[in-house]
Structure formats: C-alpha cells, structure tokens
Amino acid sequence: MAEPAPSAVPAQDELDLPLAGVTVLDFSQFLAGPVAALRLADLGARVIKVERPGIGDLGRTLAFGGRMAGASSMSFHAMNRNKESITADLKDPADLARVRDLVADADVLIQNFRPGVMERIGLDHASVAKINPKIVYGSVSGYGDAGPFKDRPGQDLLAQSIAGLPWLNGSRDDPPVPVGLSVADHLASCHLAQGITALLVRRYRTGRGGLVQTSLFESLLDLQFELLTTRLNDPTVAVQRKGPRSAHAFLPAPYGIYPCSDGYLAIAMNPVPTIGRLLDLHVLTSMTDPSAWWERQEEIEELIAERLRTDTRDAWLAVLDAEDVWCAPVLTLEELISHEGFAAIAMTQEISAGDLTLTTTRSPIRVDGQRLTSARPGPELGQDDR
C-alpha cells in the first residue's frame, strides 16, 4: 500500500491520537503488562505506573544483557517510556485509600499479579467495578486462573516450555530449542492491549465497563493455531523435526536456511525444479512430483547447501531475486542495524530526560500516516507522587 503524500501527513503535535483522554493505572511488572500499557500510551493514553515504594517494578533492575541506563535498566525504559510513576504500599490502608481514589477516576486498570493477589488487597475486578462500574479491567497471567498450571511462575521460558514451543525449533538431533526472545510476553501484551481497546469502544457505545483477560499460555497456544487445529482434527499429526537445513517441521524442501561462503540464506516455499534450474542442479529439475519434496527432503536440502557454499550470499541473492524466488539474507544483528532497510523504516526514536539520552524502538503502528513517538523515558520511581 502506498504511503500518503507528505502534505496529507499531520505533524506529530497535531495528530489526533485515538486514546487521548484515557487514563490507565498500570499495576503490572516487567514485561507483558507494562508493554500492553505502553501500547496504550503510544496511542495517546495517560499511563500511571503504581509501584512498590523503594523497589518499584522488578524490570527496573532485571536488565536485558545486564545493561543499565541511569538507575534503571535499558529494557525498563524501552517498555515504560511515556509513563508516570507513583509509589504505594498496597498493604498500607492510607496508601490503598489513595489508590482507590485514583481507581474511581481511571478508565483502565492493568495488573499481572498471580491469581488471588488482587483479591486479597481488594483490587480485583469485582471490587474495582463497585468503585468504578465503567472501568475496563485488564488482567494478564501466566496460565489463566484455573487448572494445574495456574500457580506456576508466569515467566516466558517456562510458558514456552509448557506450550511445547521448543520442540518446533531446531533440527532432529537438537535438544528442545526455545525462541530467544520473550515471545510469550510480547504476544500477551498485544492481546491484552487489543482486548482493552475493544472494551473501551464498547464502553463508549454502551457505557459499560468490563474485564479482559489473557495469559502467556493462551498467547502461545494461539500462536500455534495451525498446528493445533491440524492435530486436533487428525491424530496422526506429530512434530517431527527434520535435518539441519529445515526451518519448519511441517513444510517440505526447500524451506530452510542454507550456508553460503560468507553467511546464510533463507529460502521459503518454492518449487524444487525452479531452484534446481537456477542453481544448475539437474537432479532437482527432474523432481516435478511434490511428494518427492517431502520424501527426499534432506537429500534436496543438502544438495542445495553444497551448491550455495560455493559463492557469496549476495551473489546467490542476485541469481534468485532475478527470478522472483522467495528468499532473503539471514542478517546478523550488526548487519540489520547498519542496513538501509532498517534506516528506511525509521523504527527508532530518542528518549531523554536530564543527563539521560537513549535510543529505543517506537510503536510499530502508524496513525494517519504518522509514526507514533514520544521523547519521555521511563519515569523515576515515584516521580509523580506529589
């Protein structure tokens, strides 16, 4: 889809952000809940973090790669920029009363405590709805509020493991291989923000608040919708990881990642004879029956790998791109950041306050052709108490 003409794009300060005027109380910590709140902040909401005195969000000190920026971790700023912070001891009656006053005026409340915690302090959905019937209450947990997993720690690697994700990565001879990023937390934050936004739309239509819930576990099960749907309707389906070149347990050759002389190349769904013709592999050009792409998968992949090793990644990209083959370079982190494609999409922004200046990512959403940015870093603990 074409970008709008520059004259049609409003300036950042003129952009009518869709959640302007919405106030969010963010009781959550570390990743899934705070990132859901961040998504709402990027869309214009005022987000107030409610943190423990002296300690605050655990994400302040649990640093990605051990990297800090001032008193808080770099990752804390990445997921809590554009927010305010107040401190409250929710076991202290005076602090709890102050928080209840905020609840009475808020539009949204987000929490990610283990099941039962908010009930004990009287800030569960039923109690909050009595204070403010129009509030939208968002809750994200590890594994839902029922079943044998509900009290287990809601941590990304643990959720990936229970959901079976590590068995989908790697090859046949590898141990279970988890995704190397917090994919469960990230997906749960998207689902929670989507549900909250939907209930806000309903509230403006009907005047009624509501409860939206999700979990890391549900988010990872949703990620596997193709696999689960197929298996639930065909009991013969099982995860059988293939050889070292294959990138998918349920797709035939040539789908995989291949070594070149100076890097790696990813090849997606393409007819094997086409790949054979372009790589001058005559044994592949004769494989016109797609069943062979399954039955001789590892043989095909190894033939392709041996051929691609003879030249550079860019040389082979030129050959394959000329014939519109679905392929891509496998970029390293350094190559990604220095690539003109990374610069073209302008996915970064600067946040600053006092002596702190940090480059981080922006919202991936664009509104009315405008990228959503904010210069405010994560708040200091309790900076907005007064």
Side-chain angles (χ1 to χ4, degrees):
M1 183 175 292
E3 294 283 343
S7 61
V9 179
Q12 181 75 40
D13 57 359
E14 298 174 353
L15 192 61
D16 183 15
L17 293 171
L19 295 184
V22 171
T23 298
V24 179
L25 296 181
D26 179 13
F27 288 82
S28 62
Q29 297 190 70
F30 192 52
L31 214 161
V35 174
L38 172 66
R39 298 184 190 286
L40 303 180
D42 281 336
L43 290 167
R46 178 191 185 190
V47 177
I48 304 169
K49 287 184 69 69
V50 183
E51 304 185 73
R52 291 179 296 175
I55 301 174
D57 183 339
L58 293 174
R60 288 185 177 275
T61 54
L62 190 56
F64 187 98
R67 303 307 198 271
M68 300 292 289
S72 297
S73 68
M74 288 187 183
S75 52
F76 175 83
H77 288 288
M79 66 185 75
N80 289 286
R81 55 181 173 74
N82 201 18
K83 299 181 185 178
E84 302 169 35
S85 169
I86 65 168
T87 56
D89 180 355
L90 299 180
K91 296 179 181 178
D92 178 86
D95 279 7
L96 186 58
R98 182 163 57 94
V99 167
R100 287 177 182 272
D101 287 341
L102 291 174
V103 167
D105 290 330
D107 299 290
V108 176
L109 185 154
I110 294 176
Q111 66 91 14
N112 67 345
F113 293 107
R114 287 191 186 186
V117 172
M118 292 297 261
E119 285 80 359
R120 286 195 293 274
I121 58 179
L123 288 176
D124 56 293
H125 174 247
S127 301
V128 165
K130 292 177 182 178
I131 301 170
N132 182 352
K134 292 186 177 182
I135 201 165
V136 172
Y137 192 106
S139 177
V140 58
S141 63
Y143 310 94
D145 53 8
F149 300 136
K150 69 179 179 65
D151 293 321
R152 300 195 70 84
Q155 192 277 333
D156 199 278
L157 173 61
L158 308 183
Q160 284 193 46
S161 300
I162 287 175
L165 219 62
W167 289 112
L168 293 170
N169 301 315
S171 62
R172 179 182 52 240
D173 298 327
D174 291 328
V177 180
V179 177
L181 292 169
S182 299
V183 61
D185 282 295
H186 188 89
L187 289 171
S189 76
C190 294
H191 299 321
L192 188 65
Q194 178 186 20
I196 288 170
T197 306
L199 285 194
L200 284 172
V201 172
R202 187 183 72 179
R203 192 188 72 176
Y204 291 134
R205 183 166 47 83
T206 68
R208 188 168 89 252
L211 170 66
V212 57
Q213 298 167 286
T214 191
S215 67
L216 307 187
F217 191 34
E218 288 166 290
S219 297
L220 290 178
L221 296 180
D222 177 72
L223 178 63
Q224 301 175 79
F225 71 99
E226 290 177 296
L227 171 59
L228 290 174
T229 299
T230 306
R231 172 60 179 81
L232 290 169
N233 291 281
D234 183 349
T236 66
V237 171
V239 176
Q240 295 179 336
R241 295 181 296 175
K242 305 300 194 306
R245 311 298 168 210
S246 176
H248 202 296
F250 295 93
L251 289 175
Y255 197 93
I257 292 179
Y258 298 90
C260 301
S261 64
D262 63 346
Y264 288 85
L265 184 66
I267 299 178
M269 293 84 71
N270 293 277
V272 167
T274 299
I275 300 298
R277 175 174 59 82
L278 295 173
L279 301 187
D280 198 24
L281 292 169
H282 300 297
V283 66
L284 301 188
T285 59
S286 63
M287 291 188 188
T288 55
D289 183 356
S291 64
W293 309 350
W294 288 100
E295 296 162 1
R296 301 173 66 179
Q297 182 171 2
E298 290 189 35
E299 175 191 351
I300 294 168
E301 291 171 353
E302 198 51 48
L303 286 168
I304 295 173
E306 288 302 316
R307 181 69 173 130
L308 293 181
R309 280 194 183 100
T310 64
D311 211 336
T312 65
R313 185 182 66 191
D314 288 347
W316 287 121
L317 275 171
V319 171
L320 298 175
D321 283 346
E323 296 283 335
D324 200 25
V325 167
W326 288 13
C327 63
V330 181
L331 300 181
T332 65
L333 177 60
E334 293 74 21
E335 288 175 324
L336 168 65
I337 291 173
S338 62
H339 201 285
E340 62 180 346
F342 182 79
I345 206 164
M347 206 33 220
T348 63
Q349 62 179 341
E350 276 203 349
I351 54 177
S352 61
D355 296 331
L356 174 68
T357 299
L358 210 67
T359 302
T360 186
T361 53
R362 61 167 174 83
S363 168
I365 297 171
R366 284 169 285 166
V367 174
D368 294 334
Q370 180 73 12
R371 301 180 182 100
L372 306 181
T373 61
S374 171
R376 289 201 300 172
E380 296 180 9
L381 180 60
Q383 72 175 30
D384 301 291
D385 278 343
R386 176 171 295 183

